[in-house]
């Protein structure tokens, strides 16, 4: 249990021993036997020891209470919707304690949170979140898109920073009730949706650093319009080497608020030079050549795809692998799955692999770079026109009068067709 984690370490393992001589492998084995210390877990399973306790992750959906607002908000005209500025009438909220697990869920009127100034989320960033959407199809049905993937990722993110896990299936049932209650805020036109923001925070009142003994999981929602209201506008990127978004063994693969704030200054700096977003690069040694390379990871807050023609003539759609330097995007996974199902039979090679900027530069110089696009919840896909790298502007396959390439557009149509229920019976589209 989380309370057990707050037990003091044996004095011989305290911070005071950090000036001692390095521990040998034999000594480490002796310590493990004496103190029952297990070997460290792999990075992919890092979590508080009680994170998977079934009793502490259980949610009782039957105890949900709903308090409806007495002051319903006006519905804004579609042309006045601004992403993340206007919110629905209600919010979904659950609280957790290390002693009792998840308490009874509540849907209440949208309201401010009341937090003690010493609440641990305010000091040590115990916070993880998700981004997902609800859509309305032509028949008026409300649909969610792959909510199980969002719940799995949120649990993984929360566990990485010692926040409690939760029953994803039960939480989806609560989400459905929340979305249904505020259904009137979901625009009925294609391209419009209800953006849903689940957020989990540590709420223990303490300045001590340790697993929080209490937490809050809440959901708010905002009606949003299409990312490109007047049609696609291809963006330009600045390849960024002076700042690093994520690194192997870090927390870049988790959807944590602490990952986003440090990216704002580089984005603002790129904007002053005329670029829309950063292309995050990670310098590393290529084991095949022994040379340093700038490996491509993500673009802004999106995953990145590149469509190239190999020197052997084969077309390839590639994206960076899940090696800890990128987020496991739901849209990314959807693009890969659809590409393997629908592009591979046309002769395309679909790859999750490391690739360097050098590879994109060479492909562009040789006329083999077909398209580059970002993928994410907000935009689905975002076409890229050019990338600034080492003083050179790398053109990404679009003609001067072209804003989107055929593969990017095809992916948008395929995914939106599923989101809005136009592909009847597709398992990714979940009716509310």
């Amino acid at each position: 249990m989380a309370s057990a984690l707050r037990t003091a370490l044996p004095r011989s393992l305290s911070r005071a021993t950090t000036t001692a001589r390095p521990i040998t492998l034999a000594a480490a084995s002796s310590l493990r036997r004496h103190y029952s210390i297990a070997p460290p877990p792999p990075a992919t399973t890092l979590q508080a020891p009680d994170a998977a306790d079934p009793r502490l992750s259980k949610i009782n959906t039957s105890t949900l209470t709903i308090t409806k607002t007495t002051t319903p908000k006006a519905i804004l005209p579609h042309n006045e919707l601004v992403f993340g500025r206007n919110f629905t009438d209600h919010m979904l909220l659950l609280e957790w304690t290390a002693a009792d697990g998840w308490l009874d869920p509540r849907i209440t009127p949208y309201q401010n949170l009341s937090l003690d100034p010493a609440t641990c989320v305010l000091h040590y960033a115990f916070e993880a979140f998700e981004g997902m959407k609800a859509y309305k199809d032509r028949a008026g049905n409300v649909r969610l898109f792959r909510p199980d993937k969002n719940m799995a990722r949120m649990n993984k993110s929360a566990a990485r920073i010692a926040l409690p896990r939760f029953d994803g299936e039960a939480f989806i049932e609560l989400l459905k009730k929340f979305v249904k209650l505020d259904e009137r805020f979901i625009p009925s036109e294609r391209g419009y949706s209800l953006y849903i923001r689940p957020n989990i925070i540590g709420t223990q009142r303490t300045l001590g650093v340790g697993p929080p003994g209490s937490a809050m999981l809440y959901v708010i929602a905002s009606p949003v319009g299409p990312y490109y209201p007047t049609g696609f506008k291809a963006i330009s990127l600045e390849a960024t080497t002076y700042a690093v978004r994520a690194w192997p063994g870090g927390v870049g693969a988790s959807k944590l608020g602490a990952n986003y704030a440090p990216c704002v200054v580089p984005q603002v700096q790129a904007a002053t030079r005329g670029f829309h977003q950063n292309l995050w690069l990670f310098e590393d040694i290529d084991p095949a050549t022994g040379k340093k390379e700038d490996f491509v990871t993500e673009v802004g807050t999106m995953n990145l795809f590149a469509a190239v023609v190999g020197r052997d003539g084969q077309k390839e759609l590639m994206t960076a692998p899940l090696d800890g330097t990128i987020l496991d995007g739901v849209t990314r996974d959807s693009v890969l799955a659809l590409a393997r199902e629908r592009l591979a039979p046309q002769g395309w090679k679909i790859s999750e692999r490391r690739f360097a900027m050098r590879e994109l530069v060479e492909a562009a110089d040789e006329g083999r770079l077909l398209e580059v696009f970002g993928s994410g919840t907000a935009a689905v896909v975002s076409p890229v026109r050019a990338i600034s790298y080492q003083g050179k502007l790398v053109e990404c396959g679009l003609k001067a009068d072209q804003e989107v390439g055929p593969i990017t557009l095809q992916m948008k149509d395929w995914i939106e067709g599923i989101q809005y229920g136009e592909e009847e019976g597709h398992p990714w589209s979940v009716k509310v």
Side-chain angles (χ1 to χ4, degrees):
M1 291 178 62
S3 57
L5 299 177
R6 294 191 288 273
T7 304
L9 286 171
R11 186 167 297 180
S12 60
L13 296 180
S14 70
R15 191 173 297 174
T17 65
T18 56
T19 57
R21 288 177 295 174
I23 296 176
T24 64
L25 289 175
S29 297
S30 176
L31 279 171
R32 290 192 187 100
R33 287 194 300 272
H34 188 74
Y35 293 109
S36 299
I37 300 175
T44 54
T45 59
L46 280 173
Q47 59 185 33
D50 65 337
D53 185 335
R55 183 181 66 84
L56 294 178
S57 62
K58 183 179 178 181
I59 295 175
N60 187 352
T61 59
S62 68
T63 60
L64 172 68
T65 59
I66 300 176
T67 305
K68 294 184 179 181
T69 183
T70 57
T71 55
K73 300 172 183 175
I75 301 296
L76 288 178
H78 290 177
N79 62 351
E80 294 183 18
L81 292 176
V82 178
F83 183 87
R85 294 284 181 86
N86 304 288
F87 298 92
T88 64
D89 285 336
H90 300 92
M91 60 192 294
L92 169 64
L93 187 147
L94 299 88
E95 294 183 81
W96 178 92
T97 71
D100 299 311
W102 290 105
L103 306 181
D104 294 343
R106 295 174 284 150
I107 293 178
T108 70
Y110 187 98
Q111 58 191 278
N112 293 339
L113 301 178
S114 178
L115 298 174
D116 189 284
T119 303
C120 61
V121 65
L122 304 176
H123 298 269
Y124 306 121
F126 285 102
E127 185 269 349
F129 70 96
E130 271 301 317
M132 52 196 300
K133 287 182 175 181
Y135 309 83
K136 191 169 286 185
D137 65 23
R138 291 173 181 171
N141 299 306
V142 177
R143 296 173 177 269
L144 300 175
F145 180 71
R146 308 191 75 184
D148 56 321
K149 296 286 290 184
N150 292 101
M151 296 303 101
R153 185 173 65 183
M154 191 169 189
N155 265 315
K156 182 179 177 182
S157 298
R160 179 62 180 84
I161 55 173
L163 288 174
R165 297 175 67 93
F166 57 90
D167 181 339
E169 290 186 10
F171 193 67
I172 290 173
E173 291 308 307
L174 295 176
L175 273 178
K176 289 179 179 179
K177 295 182 187 308
F178 166 67
V179 170
K180 193 68 178 175
L181 183 62
D182 279 345
E183 178 181 352
R184 70 188 187 94
F185 287 91
I186 308 176
S188 56
E189 294 181 35
R190 180 165 173 161
Y192 291 82
S193 56
L194 183 70
Y195 183 83
I196 304 169
R197 170 55 58 86
N199 196 28
I200 184 169
I201 63 174
T203 55
Q204 184 170 352
R205 176 182 174 271
T206 179
L207 296 184
V209 182
S214 62
M216 180 187 297
L217 173 58
Y218 66 92
V219 182
I220 57 177
S222 173
V224 296
Y227 195 80
Y228 297 102
T230 59
F232 273 116
K233 298 293 181 185
I235 63 174
S236 58
L237 309 177
E238 182 176 69
T240 304
T241 55
Y242 60 85
V244 180
R245 194 200 78 88
W247 50 92
V251 293
S254 301
K255 201 167 179 65
L256 310 177
N259 288 340
Y260 288 75
C263 297
V264 172
V265 169
Q267 181 183 345
V268 172
Q269 291 182 355
T272 65
R273 292 184 284 271
F275 300 98
H276 299 92
Q277 273 291 0
N278 306 87
L279 174 62
W280 301 107
L281 303 181
F282 182 76
E283 185 183 88
D284 200 4
I285 300 296
D286 185 343
T289 63
K291 297 179 180 179
K292 283 185 179 180
E293 295 281 8
D294 289 327
F295 288 99
V296 174
T297 63
E298 291 193 340
V299 49
T301 57
M302 305 178 78
N303 296 120
L304 188 84
F305 284 84
V308 300
V309 179
R311 291 195 173 101
D312 60 358
Q314 184 175 25
K315 293 179 179 179
E316 180 182 11
L317 182 66
M318 58 188 185
T319 190
L322 300 177
D323 60 0
T325 63
I326 71 167
L327 191 69
D328 184 4
V330 176
T331 310
R332 171 190 179 275
D333 184 79
S334 304
V335 169
L336 285 169
L338 290 171
R340 286 167 179 148
E341 176 189 312
R342 304 176 186 189
L343 291 182
Q346 300 176 28
W348 282 79
K349 179 181 178 182
I350 313 302
S351 303
E352 294 178 79
R353 66 175 180 86
R354 297 182 92 191
F355 60 97
M357 267 305 299
R358 174 186 52 79
E359 189 172 343
L360 293 187
V361 171
E362 290 176 355
D365 289 345
E366 297 169 13
R368 297 184 291 103
L369 182 55
L370 302 177
E371 298 178 44
V372 176
F373 63 91
S375 68
T377 300
V380 182
V381 291
S382 182
V384 175
R385 179 170 300 282
I387 303 169
S388 174
Y389 177 64
Q390 294 184 344
K392 176 181 179 178
L393 201 61
V394 181
E395 297 292 340
C396 295
L398 296 178
K399 298 175 182 178
D401 60 349
Q402 189 181 20
E403 296 293 341
V404 60
I407 297 301
T408 308
L409 184 59
Q410 182 68 85
M411 283 299 168
K412 175 182 181 291
D413 290 343
W414 280 339
I415 292 174
E416 286 190 348
I418 297 169
Q419 290 172 337
Y420 289 91
E422 293 164 10
E423 283 202 28
E424 197 62 43
H426 200 286
W428 291 354
S429 183
V430 178
K431 282 186 181 181
V432 171

